[in-house]
Amino acid sequence: MPPLHRSFASHPTRRRLLTVAAATAAATALAAPADAAPWPTTIPLPNGWQPEGIAIGAGPYAYLGSLADGSVYRADLRTGTGRIIATGPGTPAVGLELDGRGRLFIAGRQSGARVVDARSGATLASYTLAATTPSFANDVVLTERAAWFTDSYQPVLYALPLGPNGALPGPDGVVRLPLAGDWVQTPGGAVNANGIARTPDGSALLVVQSGVGLLHRIDTATGRTGTVDLGDAAPLTNGDGLLVTGRTLYVVQNRQNAIDVFRLAPDGRSGAFRRRITAPGFDVPTTVAAHRGRLYLPNARFTTPPAPDTTYSVTAVDA
């Protein structure tokens, strides 16, 4: 993969600066609110929404995709109110990530991926990610050089390389990175690669393999994976969305209605369990985003049959 390696390589000084910037952004996201007015801890979503992914930027807004039709809802974290900003294409929206240019990168399950303007709701680009079937584009994370997507049914990561000023690639610009090393794919439709995040130092990616409960560190230049040593922690068999802030890793355990919290080594090769977060409002939460000292999790309610009048919500807890 020489072209990929050159594309994502960066000067050490620049990499250190970017790592500092990322750490500063993470600290800002978890800074305690300065005002005394309480923000809601439950944010209602439209009936029948079927949420999965959530993304929060610098502003007090959460963006949530719909598994039902791929629409995007924007919720005001201060008031709990919101509106649909983009009508979906009729295919699911799974994981979401928001960049500093106001663009939402959306994993679209078997439909691939699309990029949406978070202000206007316009679709900026669409991509076919998988070269084989079955495929399940599940989650996405952004680095300085690319948007990276997991596939729960194939042992591969997909990258959308970003050009100068964050320019999006053309439709044929998708890079496919096969997974090697410690990765052992579970066949038969099991959920393999799921949530994805960056290591604290930005040197690699972390991916949870839900079905077997393992956390992997992945070298984006080679695709080589190594199992992260989490000590005596229980297997992450319900591991879903991941969030890394500083050296803290949050792992959403969907059907356990919990978040497991770990302290990671800077390079992400090891970690230690610190605590578990639960809340009465959790109803199969799937992913997590942070803002001003809180964690926000959409309740997918996978144990409740979806219907047009099924209620859904986002639950906020202290980080």
Side-chain angles (χ1 to χ4, degrees):
M1 304 286 292
L4 181 66
H5 185 268
R6 287 197 299 270
S7 176
F8 298 132
S10 59
H11 190 277
T13 300
R14 181 175 183 272
R15 184 164 59 246
R16 287 194 296 271
L17 291 173
L18 290 168
T19 300
V20 170
T24 301
T28 300
L30 291 178
D35 53 62
W39 291 12
T41 57
T42 300
I43 297 174
L45 300 174
N47 286 358
W49 188 256
Q50 299 182 50
E52 162 74 25
I54 185 170
I56 300 176
Y61 300 100
Y63 298 86
L64 298 111
S66 169
L67 292 177
D69 66 358
S71 295
V72 178
Y73 183 83
R74 187 179 73 178
D76 190 323
L77 303 179
R78 300 164 297 185
T79 64
T81 60
R83 63 183 179 89
I84 296 173
I85 63 163
T87 301
T91 54
V94 195
L96 285 79
E97 187 84 342
L98 180 68
D99 73 2
R101 294 177 172 84
R103 302 180 300 188
L104 281 166
F105 291 75
I106 303 174
R109 200 160 182 160
Q110 58 268 65
S111 62
R114 73 186 205 271
V115 183
V116 169
D117 188 309
R119 300 176 184 87
S120 68
T123 298
L124 303 176
S126 296
Y127 299 93
T128 298
L129 297 179
T132 57
T133 58
S135 176
F136 184 166
N138 196 326
D139 205 2
V140 54
V141 70
L142 289 167
T143 69
E144 298 83 23
R145 299 285 186 171
W148 289 93
F149 296 80
T150 57
D151 190 327
S152 293
Y153 291 165
Q154 298 291 334
V156 62
L157 294 184
Y158 308 111
L160 299 181
L162 302 176
N165 299 316
L168 297 172
D172 298 328
V174 177
V175 175
R176 299 175 179 92
L177 182 67
L179 301 181
D182 289 347
W183 190 274
V184 178
Q185 185 81 358
T186 302
V191 176
N192 284 274
N194 196 334
I196 185 171
R198 301 180 68 185
T199 59
D201 65 4
S203 62
L205 299 177
L206 299 171
V207 171
V208 62
Q209 190 178 8
S210 299
V212 296
L214 295 176
L215 184 67
H216 294 269
R217 180 185 185 276
I218 302 177
D219 185 330
T220 58
T222 64
R224 185 169 183 81
T225 75
T227 303
V228 178
D229 180 3
L230 296 178
D232 296 329
L236 303 175
T237 47
N238 294 123
D240 202 326
L242 304 181
L243 174 67
V244 172
T245 61
R247 289 178 56 186
T248 300
L249 167 67
Y250 299 93
V251 182
V252 181
Q253 299 276 57
N254 53 36
R255 292 178 187 267
Q256 297 180 39
N257 290 310
I259 310 167
D260 284 347
V261 186
F262 297 85
R263 175 74 168 176
L264 291 175
D267 62 5
R269 296 180 189 275
S270 63
F273 177 77
R274 286 294 181 257
R275 61 193 173 103
R276 168 166 278 203
I277 301 172
T278 60
F282 285 171
D283 193 347
V284 194
T286 46
T287 53
V288 58
H291 188 72
R292 299 184 70 186
R294 282 181 168 179
L295 304 174
Y296 290 85
L297 298 93
N299 292 298
R301 307 193 69 189
F302 287 149
T303 57
T304 301
D309 60 350
T310 302
T311 59
Y312 293 95
S313 66
V314 176
T315 297
V317 295
D318 290 337

